[in-house]
Amino acid sequence: GGTILLSGTFGVGKTSLLALLGRLLSVSAPSEEFSSTLSLLDDISLVKSFSELRTNNRSWLVAVPVFDKSGSDFEASVRKALQTSLLDKKLDVALEANLSLEEACKKVSDHLRQNGYEGLLILLDEADSFIEKVLQQDKSASGLEEFCAFCRRTAPSILCVATINSE
């Protein structure tokens, strides 16, 4: 497991790289066209590292939480993204409301591993915008912080990648 933070100035391609990495890990065997595109990026160590996260052509389930402009609840956003991704792949995993976010992710990850997936990938684009909205409302961003810590200490089957703008 782990947490990877992609930081850079506005417009350098963090979101594009996030989308590329999500696509790379979400398919069992990338198409020839996609593989040739990846070969152009072969000198980027992060792309190499992500390529190595796939064993035996097993894909990752990718969940992309969407945070609204009001600084919505982090946990609710991630849960909704998990549910959407599971439905899209027709995977039947009941995420009971009494489960913590960490327990829900672990349950999903365990189910994925038993069903031929490599693991669960959570992509957080513009995480700094979410944190900024939360702090403007005098709320705590501890949900995000705790989730990233959980990903760092968990088995390798749960990975969180976030982008932030740096100026």
Side-chain angles (χ1 to χ4, degrees), residues 59-81:
S59 61
W60 290 69
L61 179 71
V62 178
V64 183
V66 176
F67 305 108
D68 65 30
K69 302 283 186 216
S70 66
S72 65
D73 183 296
F74 175 78
E75 184 171 328
S77 298
V78 174
R79 281 180 179 274
K80 183 176 180 180

Side-chain angles (χ1 to χ4, degrees), residues 1-23:
T3 302
I4 297 172
L5 183 63
L6 303 175
S7 174
T9 57
F10 181 77
V12 297
K14 298 177 301 296
T15 299
S16 296
L17 182 58
L18 195 68
L20 175 72
L21 296 174
R23 173 77 175 120

Side-chain angles (χ1 to χ4, degrees), residues 35-47:
S35 294
S36 65
T37 301
L38 284 178
S39 68
L40 298 173
L41 302 172
D42 201 34
D43 62 335
I44 299 175
S45 61
L46 183 62
V47 173

Side-chain angles (χ1 to χ4, degrees), residues 61 75-76 78-83 86 93-112 120 122 147 150 154 157-158:
L61 179 71
E75 184 171 328
V78 174
R79 281 180 179 274
K80 183 176 180 180
L82 280 174
Q83 292 284 13
L86 289 167
V93 182
L95 298 180
E96 298 84 5
N98 64 333
L99 292 177
S100 70
L101 179 58
E102 289 83 2
E103 291 168 331
C105 287
K106 180 79 172 96
K107 183 175 182 177
V108 168
S109 172
D110 290 345
H111 181 83
L112 292 170
L120 173 62
I122 309 288
F147 183 73
F150 162 75
T154 193
S157 59
I158 302 174

